[in-house]
Amino acid sequence: MNFPRIIFLIVFSFSSLSLFSQNGDKASEKDLISSLNWKKWSPDVVPVFTPAESLAQFKVAPGFKVELVASEPMVKDPVFVDWDDQGRMWVGELRTYMRDLDGTGENERMSRVMVLEDTDQDGVMDKATPFVDDMINVRCIAFVDDGVLVVETGGLWLCKDTDGDLRCDEREKLFDFATAAQSNIEHAENALHFALDNWMYNSKSSRKLAWRNGKLIEMPAKGRGQWGMGSDAYGRLYFNANSNWFEVDWATYDRQWPSKGSTVKPPTNRVFGIRPNTALNRNYRPGRILEDGRVASVTTISGLAVHSHGAYGKDWEGAIFSMSPGTNTVGAFLPEKPFPASDQYVHQLYPDAVWKEREFLASSDERFRPVNASMGPDGCLYVVDFHRGVIQHKRYLTSYLRRQSAERQLDKPIGLGRIYRIVPKDHKTIDPPSDLVAGLSHPHLWWRLRSQKRIVEGGRQDLATDVQKLADNKKAKAHARVHAMWTLAGLGKLKEKTVRLAIEDHHWFVSMTGLRLAGESKGVADFFPDEFKTLAEQVVDRKMVPSTLASYAGIISKSGYPSRAVKTYKDKEADWVKKDSNLLSVYRKGRDQYSVSCGACHQADGKGLPNMAPTLAKSDWVTGDAKRLIGVAVHGLMGPIKVNGKPVEGVPPIMPPHGFMKDEQLAGILTYVRNAWGNRAGLISIEDITGYRKTESARVAPWTEVEF
């Protein structure tokens, strides 16, 4: 569900450069901007090829072929592609973007989401239905249990087809989203990419989203990339930026890869097309254009896709395909060694009789603009071709580029677009899974993630038993068990037995996932329970395990999970806390423990999260009766509640019990929350926790508000 980093080049016919001053011009480069260096390599008008003619302009890596899947007039100005469970292709169109050189009407409601179908099963789409046709620069979609999430400039909508005709009948704006696109479309939220940990990640965003019980939950997240998002079978996240082919991190598994730093970047920013690349925004600068007319480095990188457990086989496992629309190419990078043995990538280049070297996919058609890509249900790479001569937005356009584009007639036509499939020549189809649980074991990652998404987001508690059987099955494939464990975690049904079996497993990724999800089996995502520390220590002592697993087991056996906080919060210790040395000591220990075990949901500032966790700041549940607060911490709380007399809405009706934590830990956390964020109440001692446990030793069920 990646969405492209579209760098639109705007064009306008004019007779004199001196009449214009573009937003992208820099006063210090006035003389350079008037350069006509492009006439040396690309003086002619750019031809407009038919889809068949454009297809013939491709060169692709040996062993692959390029197939045309869809083209205009069925699709126009496509910028992303995704599939529903029935195999129908959903395409987003940016139809109002740069209709003229001044961007007139850019925010009119004319962009669409189209549903394409291949009714005769010949591999080419032959039927198109507009699901929605009145969006403002639609940016991405996500399928959820109740409908389709559609992101446009300024908002995220839930759209529903109530009568099965593939047209939206009902829509509801859930909240503001991508609001920055109203003034700068290149720098606003996009993607909604569902990953292994049950969250949807976004580029150019500081939040991640999850669909639960018919509502969106959001949590703070690390900012990543500019356009699009991808992930692999190990839960790594892939993203990129304008002049960077790709970047990848493994925050999902507590940043235990790479061995140094938090992310991995490409070994180079070089690019090798098969035609001159003069129509780029800053090519007036000396040295930007090489002697053969090509540019040396990328400046227009767009969406990406990752081949992981797809149709290309083990030799292409972990391959990153990144879009370079400005050079009419798709670059490919392969891991030097299988994950997690290395953090190095190799740029895949191929001999070319004319240009010496070229990228994985390259075209001599200057209007080929690969702005986005996705791995499909069939395990193949699909490339979205915006198919325009100009791809630079007016906000950054230089007079240099405007003049070249006008003279070479790159500004027209608009309203074209193609989608291609890159197929291995020995491609063999694999049937879809028979049901959702079977989908967790499918050979293709696409189906495993989609099945996991539907089970978790649909709240399919009726499937929990079968999913657990898969997670506990030592004969099942490792990645199937991993998906099953994450699915159980998403359902709130992951059991301690399953975690123990996983940690003890011989496959490193199953074992690492057991360690990663140990807290989930106790209902606390970010706290590593003490009872699993012995198992973690045993993992450290194993022979022939990857250093990644051994290091992780060693860290958490000694100090618990690394911090997963993404927001920095500087706690201000109140005067009354500082004056009481005993209180201050307990407060500080509790603060550290809170950040690990409670901060993800209730947040570092204690204000909670909508649809997820209520506020603890200035809450009568926190500052009121200490015994009630201890009871909630030890045994949990269920059912509707009121905070300060007002009903809490949207929050799941359960606070998981934390009775497995040590008395000292609970006393510290509760003391901290009672005296932080403007709260002021007394200290809770270890003896208070111990006394409560004795009094309520027969209790098992969580408390309800009425019982208090």
Side-chain angles (χ1 to χ4, degrees):
M1 222 164 289
N2 301 343
F3 183 84
R5 177 178 306 98
I6 307 173
I7 318 279
F8 289 93
L9 311 174
I10 303 136
V11 188
F12 188 75
S13 295
F14 57 92
S15 59
S16 173
L17 180 64
S18 62
L19 295 176
F20 297 89
S21 178
Q22 295 300 136
N23 290 336
D25 291 353
K26 296 183 178 181
S28 61
E29 297 178 330
K30 182 177 180 180
D31 294 336
L32 293 174
I33 290 172
S34 62
S35 171
L36 298 177
N37 61 1
W38 49 274
K39 290 197 173 186
K40 176 180 177 181
W41 298 282
S42 305
D44 300 325
V45 171
V46 178
V48 180
F49 294 117
T50 66
E53 292 170 336
S54 188
L55 187 63
Q57 308 296 313
F58 285 117
K59 290 185 178 180
V60 69
F64 293 90
K65 59 182 178 179
V66 184
E67 297 178 346
L68 179 68
V69 176
S71 61
E72 71 278 352
M74 183 169 289
V75 293
K76 298 180 179 181
D77 311 313
V79 291
F80 67 80
V81 62
D82 199 3
W83 294 262
D84 60 24
D85 295 350
Q86 289 72 44
R88 295 176 295 228
M89 178 183 289
W90 294 58
V91 180
E93 301 179 342
L94 233 62
R95 299 191 70 192
T96 60
Y97 203 89
M98 302 314 299
R99 287 181 293 172
D100 61 31
L101 301 171
D102 297 316
T104 304
E106 178 174 290
N107 289 321
E108 291 183 12
R109 289 195 167 277
M110 293 177 59
S111 291
R112 309 189 305 187
V113 175
M114 300 293 291
V115 185
L116 307 187
E117 299 177 75
D118 176 12
T119 60
D120 57 8
Q121 301 298 306
D122 65 350
V124 179
M125 300 297 159
D126 50 50
K127 181 181 179 182
T129 305
F131 179 68
V132 289
D133 56 8
D134 58 352
M135 306 304 289
I136 304 175
N137 292 329
V138 61
R139 301 174 70 81
C140 54
I141 65 170
F143 298 101
V144 294
D145 189 56
D146 291 346
V148 183
L149 300 179
V150 179
V151 172
E152 64 168 354
T153 293
L156 189 155
W157 295 77
L158 174 63
C159 299
K160 297 182 179 181
D161 167 21
T162 60
D163 56 10
D165 64 354
L166 296 178
R167 297 175 186 268
C168 175
D169 304 302
E170 297 178 1
R171 70 177 72 182
E172 175 189 1
K173 185 177 180 180
L174 301 183
F175 50 67
D176 290 342
F177 202 79
T179 55
Q182 294 166 352
S183 60
N184 189 346
I185 198 167
E186 293 185 24
H187 295 279
E189 293 167 299
N190 63 90
L192 295 181
H193 177 80
F194 183 85
L196 182 63
D197 63 351
N198 298 313
W199 286 95
M200 289 182 279
Y201 287 88
N202 316 292
S203 285
K204 209 64 186 180
S205 179
S206 59
R207 55 182 163 179
K208 58 184 179 181
L209 306 174
W211 186 258
R212 299 289 185 274
N213 300 315
K215 295 182 179 180
L216 272 177
I217 297 170
E218 65 174 274
M219 285 187 68
K222 170 188 173 182
R224 293 178 174 89
Q226 188 175 349
W227 282 103
M229 184 75 64
S231 66
D232 65 10
Y234 297 92
R236 289 182 293 176
L237 294 176
Y238 297 77
F239 44 99
N240 51 21
N242 211 23
S243 300
N244 187 19
W245 280 108
F246 69 86
E247 195 167 351
V248 53
D249 72 47
W250 207 28
T252 303
Y253 280 78
D254 293 325
R255 302 177 298 279
Q256 296 305 298
W257 178 94
S259 57
K260 295 181 180 179
S262 60
T263 66
V264 172
K265 296 181 180 180
T268 180
N269 65 353
R270 289 295 308 275
V271 61
F272 299 84
I274 58 172
R275 57 157 293 104
N277 314 126
T278 61
L280 294 172
N281 209 29
R282 307 278 176 196
N283 275 1
Y284 53 78
R285 292 173 177 170
R288 282 285 301 147
I289 304 179
L290 301 175
E291 281 303 313
D292 62 4
R294 299 185 293 181
V295 293
S297 59
V298 291
T299 59
T300 62
I301 293 301
S302 186
L304 50 67
V306 182
H307 177 269
S308 188
H309 294 196
Y312 296 175
K314 291 184 179 180
D315 290 344
W316 286 89
E317 177 59 32
I320 303 168
F321 298 102
S322 193
M323 309 297 107
S324 178
T327 61
N328 322 110
T329 62
V330 175
F333 292 81
L334 275 173
E336 183 183 59
K337 297 178 182 178
F339 181 74
S342 173
D343 57 12
Q344 301 296 311
Y345 285 82
V346 179
H347 191 185
Q348 299 299 296
L349 298 174
Y350 302 89
D352 189 271
V354 177
W355 301 94
K356 296 183 180 179
E357 288 183 301
R358 58 178 171 80
E359 298 293 340
F360 172 84
L361 178 66
S363 176
S364 55
D365 181 356
E366 192 164 1
R367 298 177 191 274
F368 170 59
R369 302 298 192 186
V371 294
N372 192 14
S374 295
M375 302 304 300
D378 58 359
C380 293
L381 177 70
Y382 286 75
V383 176
V384 180
D385 175 13
F386 192 63
H387 211 80
R388 285 197 184 183
V390 285
I391 53 168
Q392 180 71 60
H393 187 253
K394 62 182 179 181
R395 185 183 180 95
Y396 302 104
L397 180 68
T398 59
S399 298
Y400 165 86
L401 181 56
R402 181 167 184 154
R403 178 170 184 172
Q404 179 185 170
S405 300
E407 291 192 18
R408 300 178 62 216
Q409 298 182 18
L410 281 164
D411 60 324
K412 49 182 177 284
I414 61 172
L416 307 179
R418 290 91 193 259
I419 297 172
Y420 300 100
R421 183 172 79 143
I422 315 302
V423 189
K425 291 183 178 178
D426 59 351
H427 179 55
K428 296 180 181 179
T429 59
I430 299 178
D431 291 336
S434 56
D435 56 55
L436 292 178
V437 176
L440 299 176
S441 301
H442 197 274
H444 289 164
L445 175 62
W446 191 96
W447 280 108
R448 297 206 302 271
L449 280 176
R450 179 56 61 86
S451 299
Q452 177 181 329
K453 178 180 173 71
R454 286 194 57 193
I455 295 172
V456 172
E457 293 183 347
R460 296 295 303 273
Q461 300 290 342
D462 59 309
L463 299 179
T465 299
D466 289 337
V467 175
Q468 184 180 327
K469 289 179 181 178
L470 174 60
D472 296 345
N473 184 0
K474 294 182 179 181
K475 295 182 180 180
K477 291 184 178 180
H479 284 275
R481 295 181 65 189
V482 167
H483 280 278
M485 283 189 283
W486 278 106
T487 301
L488 290 170
L491 291 173
K493 292 293 185 180
L494 185 62
K495 297 182 178 180
E496 184 177 337
K497 169 194 170 185
T498 299
V499 168
R500 289 185 175 276
L501 285 173
I503 295 174
E504 295 169 346
D505 198 77
H506 69 280
H507 193 283
W508 77 269
F509 191 42
V510 173
S511 183
M512 191 153 186
T513 302
L515 292 171
R516 169 63 178 81
L517 292 176
E520 300 276 0
S521 70
K522 295 291 188 178
V524 285
D526 297 333
F527 177 78
F528 186 71
D530 289 343
E531 52 260 58
F532 292 106
K533 287 186 176 180
T534 300
L535 285 177
E537 291 169 352
Q538 293 172 357
V539 172
V540 177
D541 296 332
R542 286 185 203 165
K543 296 181 180 179
M544 305 297 290
V545 300
S547 59
T548 305
L549 172 59
S551 173
Y552 188 51
I555 290 171
I556 62 178
S557 66
K558 293 177 181 178
S559 54
Y561 292 131
S563 173
R564 296 169 184 164
V566 295
K567 273 190 173 181
T568 57
Y569 172 77
K570 188 173 182 179
D571 180 53
K572 296 180 180 180
E573 297 169 348
D575 291 339
W576 70 83
V577 175
K578 294 179 182 178
K579 292 177 181 179
D580 186 331
S581 60
N582 184 37
L583 176 60
L584 180 61
S585 176
V586 177
Y587 178 96
R588 288 178 174 175
K589 291 179 181 178
R591 178 174 59 199
D592 294 340
Q593 192 66 57
Y594 172 88
S595 66
V596 173
S597 57
C598 312
C601 294
H602 291 287
Q603 292 296 285
D605 58 8
K607 294 181 179 179
L609 287 170
N611 300 328
M612 191 167 188
T615 182
L616 301 178
K618 299 181 179 179
S619 165
D620 56 352
W621 283 86
V622 175
T623 58
D625 186 354
K627 292 183 179 179
R628 183 174 71 165
L629 182 61
I630 294 171
V632 171
V634 174
H635 284 110
L637 179 67
M638 65 180 179
I641 65 169
K642 296 178 181 178
V643 173
N644 301 329
K646 296 182 179 180
V648 175
E649 298 180 353
V651 172
I654 184 71
M655 159 70 180
H658 287 59
F660 59 87
M661 298 178 72
K662 296 178 180 178
D663 292 356
E664 181 182 8
Q665 293 171 328
L666 287 173
I669 292 173
L670 298 184
T671 296
Y672 171 68
V673 302
R674 279 165 65 85
N675 293 279
W677 319 306
N679 295 338
R680 184 171 184 175
L683 178 147
I684 290 182
S685 67
I686 296 174
E687 291 74 22
D688 292 332
I689 306 296
T690 303
Y692 169 84
R693 289 189 194 271
K694 289 181 179 179
T695 302
E696 300 294 342
S697 60
R699 189 175 187 90
V700 176
W703 292 95
T704 62
E705 184 178 52
V706 295
E707 289 182 283
F708 291 115

